[in-house]
Amino acid sequence: NMQAQKLAPDAVSYRTAMNACIEGGEANRALKIFDRMRENGLPWDVPTYNVVLKACAESHQPDMAWELFQQMQSAGLPAEVRTYTTLMNAWVEAGECHRAIQAVREMRAAGLQPDVYALTVGIKACGVCGMVTQALEFVEETLALRPRVSLDPITFNLAMQVCEEQG
């Protein structure tokens, strides 16, 4: 027990605990751990924000994710592709596909190149909005990634589903 040994948990300890909660389907518990981290005055870094954004996405709290994302940017912390992808997931899970697709544009405007994961979430967002043409553009972009990436089964099936559902 860390408290019995008079050891204070650091940011890595908190992130590990939050990730365990998220993986165990307890995203709201992860957010409570984040609150405790804030109360203890530990500094937040990009990996911490990424985990908390994931907890927001998993607990269907996209507005909280957006607030934290803005807070991160205001603090001068550079968002990573993973950060944007997690924010996109929060929007898609909330059915706000246009905001997810806008996050791809913002990612590019920040000088970041979407990876296969971001593009897959973009395809999913297009499916929610019925945007077949944009979905196919994301598929083409995925195929053009360097080093060459083949569509994984998830991305391929998602793209096919979008095309089927939208005709």
Side-chain angles (χ1 to χ4, degrees):
N1 183 319
M2 291 180 77
Q3 289 178 335
Q5 296 178 14
K6 298 188 183 191
L7 297 173
D10 60 6
V12 173
S13 301
Y14 278 102
R15 281 196 305 270
T16 301
M18 286 187 283
N19 268 318
C21 291
I22 293 166
E23 294 304 316
E26 297 286 335
N28 284 321
R29 182 175 279 174
L31 292 173
K32 288 178 183 173
I33 292 170
F34 176 63
D35 288 339
R36 198 168 327 140
M37 182 180 178
R38 285 196 290 198
E39 289 166 6
N40 289 335
L42 284 164
W44 308 344
D45 54 10
V46 174
T48 300
Y49 274 103
N50 287 342
V51 171
V52 176
L53 290 174
K54 185 177 179 182
C56 291
E58 295 288 325
S59 63
H60 306 286
Q61 297 185 52
D63 292 329
M64 182 178 182
W66 177 243
E67 287 174 26
L68 289 167
F69 179 81
Q70 289 179 311
Q71 183 181 76
M72 180 180 147
Q73 290 190 315
S74 295
L77 296 171
E80 304 168 333
V81 172
R82 179 180 181 176
T83 311
Y84 281 99
T85 303
T86 306
L87 181 61
M88 290 168 60
N89 265 317
W91 292 129
V92 171
E93 291 300 318
E96 298 196 38
C97 55
H98 292 290
R99 290 186 85 173
I101 294 167
Q102 178 61 33
V104 175
R105 292 183 191 105
E106 291 170 9
M107 183 187 319
R108 288 187 179 119
L112 299 171
Q113 174 62 42
D115 62 12
V116 66
Y117 304 107
L119 293 170
T120 299
V121 176
I123 293 166
K124 184 177 179 182
C126 290
V128 171
C129 284
M131 301 170 65
V132 176
T133 303
Q134 179 68 59
L136 293 175
E137 288 175 14
F138 285 147
V139 169
E140 288 176 15
E141 190 174 345
T142 302
L143 292 172
L145 288 173
R146 297 284 180 234
R148 181 119 173 97
V149 175
S150 59
L151 289 183
D152 62 19
I154 293 170
T155 306
F156 178 81
N157 289 333
L158 187 57
M160 293 300 99
Q161 181 182 354
V162 169
C163 290
E164 273 182 26
E165 289 175 0
Q166 302 304 319

